[in-house]
Amino acid sequence: EPEVTQTPSHQVTQMGQEVILRCVPISNHLYFYWYRQILGQKVEFLVSFYNNEISEKSEIFDDQFSVERPDGSNFTLKIRSTKLEDSAMYFCASSESPARNTEAFFGQGTRLTVV
Amino acid sequence: GENVEQHPSTLSVQEGDSAVIKCTYSDSASNYFPWYKQELGKGPQLIIDIRSNVGEKKDQRIAVTLNKTAKHFSLHITETQPEDSAVYFCAASMGGGSQGNLIFGKGTKLSVKP
């Protein structure tokens, strides 16, 4: 069964450092998302991406965050200068098309720890 | 914006009993309501979803009901098994495309005791 894969599974970084989280969405999917989940809290939407541009972003997704699809398969989330409060699980998701109500498939997540 | 409330935060049932998790949403424009199961160390996995033109949907032991007037939807799991133990999240969305982002509830930790 096709799945969304994320690397690394765990990333430890020093405060102020840049970090890049990587995702390989399901191959025929066109819509990509990043979500985050702070320990013990709800899953929060960060950004959606379609046709090589951001479709929508939440207030969490400030200037420190950026997304990119550098090639035909990878979808990345970059945090330029990490803060302690960026520590969370980051989930990538993808869906088949921009049509209504298509299922979003989630990856297994990257646990980011900022020290 | 949309806000999703989920209750209870924890639920413990005996194997074989039923479990019910309830969610309410605030934005009447929401029209897609998925439920996700998250096992320890894994990402959320879709288990069932319902759209606003349907009042109830069933898939084996799992059912979801939607009351658009009251803006609430519920997950029902019958004949629970230990492997149903996980965190369950409800979510709401205004659909795909630029409105496809999911707004999640805080989750319900379900424990099924053998």
Side-chain angles (χ1 to χ4, degrees):
Chain A
E1 184 176 325
E3 60 181 11
V4 176
T5 57
Q6 291 183 242
T7 54
S9 56
H10 191 190
Q11 174 88 46
V12 181
T13 189
Q14 287 204 325
M15 188 170 56
Q17 295 295 305
E18 175 182 286
V19 66
I20 297 176
L21 309 182
R22 291 181 166 80
C23 168
V24 179
I26 294 173
S27 61
N28 64 331
H29 285 190
L30 301 176
Y31 226 81
F32 315 116
Y33 310 84
W34 282 101
Y35 289 82
R36 80 170 185 190
Q37 184 180 29
I38 295 171
L39 187 64
Q41 298 187 24
K42 66 168 73 177
V43 178
E44 300 173 290
F45 169 76
L46 293 179
V47 66
S48 58
F49 189 87
Y50 170 69
N51 201 24
N52 289 318
E53 61 183 21
I54 290 174
S55 298
E56 191 172 4
K57 59 184 180 179
S58 72
E59 60 273 13
I60 302 168
F61 195 87
D62 61 22
D63 291 343
Q64 293 298 313
F65 291 88
S66 63
V67 289
E68 195 177 35
R69 195 143 189 256
D71 53 43
S73 59
N74 290 286
F75 178 52
T76 62
L77 174 70
K78 182 193 290 186
I79 308 175
R80 290 189 183 83
S81 178
T82 50
K83 303 186 286 285
L84 294 176
E85 53 264 38
D86 293 327
S87 296
M89 280 289 283
Y90 287 81
F91 292 106
C92 172
S94 68
S95 62
E96 188 171 335
S97 80
R100 291 185 188 180
N101 300 336
T102 54
E103 176 184 350
F105 290 82
F106 282 76
Q108 80 281 14
T110 293
R111 179 171 298 283
L112 176 65
T113 303
V114 182
V115 296
Chain B
E2 176 64 277
N3 183 48
V4 177
E5 297 289 339
Q6 183 172 348
H7 301 279
S9 55
T10 59
L11 179 60
S12 182
V13 299
Q14 249 353 91
E15 182 178 358
D17 287 350
S18 295
V20 180
I21 303 170
K22 299 182 179 182
C23 288
T24 60
Y25 61 99
S26 60
D27 194 332
S28 56
S30 291
N31 56 14
Y32 176 61
F33 307 94
W35 285 88
Y36 284 83
K37 176 182 181 182
Q38 186 179 26
E39 296 174 319
L40 198 61
K42 297 185 179 180
Q45 183 179 17
L46 181 75
I47 54 171
I48 196 167
D49 56 16
I50 192 166
R51 292 164 174 79
S52 60
N53 58 343
V54 176
E56 184 174 355
K57 183 176 177 181
K58 191 173 181 181
D59 182 4
Q60 299 182 343
R61 297 185 297 109
I62 295 173
V64 58
T65 58
L66 171 65
N67 183 328
K68 284 220 75 179
T69 303
K71 294 206 278 285
H72 67 71
F73 56 113
S74 301
L75 177 73
H76 304 252
I77 306 174
T78 58
E79 299 172 27
T80 53
Q81 301 166 3
E83 51 266 38
D84 293 331
S85 296
V87 179
Y88 290 81
F89 291 96
C90 62
S93 165
M94 285 181 281
S98 62
Q99 297 171 319
N101 58 295
L102 297 169
I103 306 300
F104 283 84
K106 287 189 175 181
T108 296
K109 185 177 181 180
L110 174 65
S111 300
V112 180
K113 297 179 179 179

